[in-house]
Amino acid sequence: MRKTLFKVHSWLALIAIIPLIVISITGSVLVFKSEIDGLLMPDKHFVVQQQAARLPMDSLIDKAEAAFPEYVVGSWELFNNTTADRLYLVKRGTDDWYKLHLDQYTGEVLSEPVSTTHYFTDWFLELHYTFLLNDLKSLPGQTGTVLGFFFALFLLTLGITGLIIYRKFWQRLFSVRWRATLQIVLSDIHKMTGVLGSPILIVLAITGGYFNGAVWYHEVIEHAEEEHYTITNKLYSDDISFERILNDSKLQIPTFNTTFLVFPREPDENITLYGEVNTRNPLTSEYANTITYNKQTGEHMANWDIREAGAGWQVIDSFRKLHFGYFAGLISKILWCIVGLSPVWLAGTGFYLWLTRRKRKKHSQRNRVLQRKSANVL
């Protein structure tokens, strides 16, 4: 069994070596996405908080619509700190999405609408999840998403098989034979790195695979036979007061704080608020709870409170913080970044060890052939 698992482990690593290196490097960088955005574009990412409260939501929406009438607001990411609000717009009559930054305290537009992959970290995020393959016209629309899902499965298999193969390595976990040959030293470091990093890599594989799988299922399975709706005008009543909706949401779910507002983008959709609540669970995400309002009347329709949900839903909700590693602040982010890079080292050392074994095997086979020929001559 161990020999079979070793072959599976080796061949999977060889097949997926390049994609896993890409996923590893991009994922480790994206752990600090917010910090990098702040460094690269501080004038767009940050706001000077000159007043204690945000402007009314209706005023902010009016300012965005007046500034860019050729777009329809699709969703709105809200912040109550020095991070600027982020808007996601759809160009009328198209399926093209754009991103915009806006100062929620003054209403000032901080950037022009740009592609959702225009900024460096957004482009990196697309590379991380889809290898930039989804937008290629020569390939089916979700090719990159599907490949990302399967490479997540590969990473999961590598982590599990590695732990099984080297399950007794903990007995000499930190014992590297530094005075031995290079092959032995690298083998020891490879095992130690893999054993220590595998638990986190397994978590990253499960959560990343879930995200890609969920997108693929939603786009390809659930809406396979539906004609995609192209939005040309906003699909909610002009009489809707979003400020009233935001205030009402705090009454619907105690301690609810809206973090993401989704406008109706298809005729059968309504207005949905995503938000966070006070909870003892450090893994509860900032999008864990939802409240839905009627798009024509603004009346409350439904709530979803993660604190009342089953264990399965709470586990799925925890995937966001577990994947990006920000559940314990800077400490967990640094740890996730370091371990996230470990597949690069594992790929390099693993490839070297595989190449060394292959050369040694060929050398042994050649010696056996020579020995047979010598025996025949004699």
Side-chain angles (χ1 to χ4, degrees), residues 1-14 20 152-169 190-191 194-195 197-199 201-202 205 346:
M1 175 63 73
R2 186 177 180 276
K3 188 175 181 180
T4 301
L5 287 177
F6 185 81
K7 288 184 178 180
V8 170
H9 185 88
S10 300
W11 282 109
L12 275 182
L14 288 171
L20 289 182
L153 289 183
F154 288 176
L155 180 59
L156 175 63
T157 304
L158 288 170
I160 294 174
T161 54
L163 284 176
I164 295 174
I165 294 168
Y166 304 117
R167 59 188 179 276
K168 294 183 179 180
F169 189 74
H190 183 91
K191 295 172 186 176
V195 169
S198 281
L201 292 177
I202 288 173
L346 291 170

Side-chain angles (χ1 to χ4, degrees), residues 1 23 42 49 63 77 111 119 125 156 173 191 197 219 225 239 243 255 259-260 274-275 284 306 328 340-341 353:
M1 175 63 73
I23 292 172
Q49 189 173 348
K63 288 179 181 295
E77 195 169 4
S111 67
Y119 298 113
L125 185 64
L156 175 63
L173 187 58
K191 295 172 186 176
E219 294 294 333
E225 299 180 358
D239 298 327
E243 187 64 20
T255 73
T259 57
F260 205 75
Y274 289 80
T284 300
I306 193 65
L341 282 172
L353 294 172

Side-chain angles (χ1 to χ4, degrees), residues 128-257:
H128 179 73
Y129 279 112
T130 71
F131 307 102
L132 304 177
L133 297 177
N134 279 5
D135 293 332
L136 293 181
K137 295 181 180 180
S138 58
L139 297 173
Q142 295 297 319
T143 298
T145 303
V146 173
L147 286 176
F149 171 77
F150 280 107
F151 285 125
L153 289 183
F154 288 176
L155 180 59
L156 175 63
T157 304
L158 288 170
I160 294 174
T161 54
L163 284 176
I164 295 174
I165 294 168
Y166 304 117
R167 59 188 179 276
K168 294 183 179 180
F169 189 74
W170 62 269
Q171 296 174 350
R172 50 185 179 84
L173 187 58
F174 297 100
S175 300
V176 178
R177 293 166 286 182
W178 297 106
R179 296 184 178 180
T181 63
L182 178 61
Q183 182 182 355
I184 293 175
V185 172
L186 291 181
S187 177
D188 285 351
I189 296 177
H190 183 91
K191 295 172 186 176
M192 181 176 66
T193 304
V195 169
L196 291 175
S198 281
I200 294 178
L201 292 177
I202 288 173
V203 169
L204 293 175
I206 292 173
T207 54
Y210 171 81
F211 291 143
N212 278 50
V215 170
W216 175 76
Y217 181 83
H218 176 77
E219 294 294 333
V220 178
I221 303 300
E222 287 190 345
H223 299 287
E225 299 180 358
E226 295 182 10
E227 185 176 349
H228 185 74
Y229 182 79
T230 301
I231 190 168
T232 56
N233 291 292
K234 61 183 182 182
L235 299 177
Y236 58 88
S237 171
D238 290 331
D239 298 327
I240 295 288
S241 171
F242 285 93
E243 187 64 20
R244 186 196 70 78
I245 286 176
L246 291 178
N247 291 332
D248 182 76
S249 67
K250 299 180 184 298
L251 304 177
Q252 297 296 333
I253 299 180
T255 73
F256 183 84
N257 176 51

Side-chain angles (χ1 to χ4, degrees), residues 269-308:
E269 293 182 349
N270 284 287
I271 299 166
T272 303
L273 274 59
Y274 289 80
E276 56 191 358
V277 293
N278 293 341
T279 174
R280 295 181 180 180
N281 184 357
L283 297 178
T284 300
S285 78
E286 59 271 39
Y287 308 107
N289 302 263
T290 63
I291 305 178
T292 306
Y293 291 87
N294 187 282
K295 64 182 175 182
Q296 298 300 332
T297 65
E299 295 301 315
H300 171 259
M301 296 178 64
N303 294 342
W304 171 265
D305 192 338
I306 193 65
R307 295 169 297 186
E308 300 173 359

Side-chain angles (χ1 to χ4, degrees), residues 68-80:
F68 304 103
E70 66 273 30
Y71 297 89
V72 176
V73 181
S75 54
W76 194 301
E77 195 169 4
L78 292 79
F79 294 94
N80 292 312

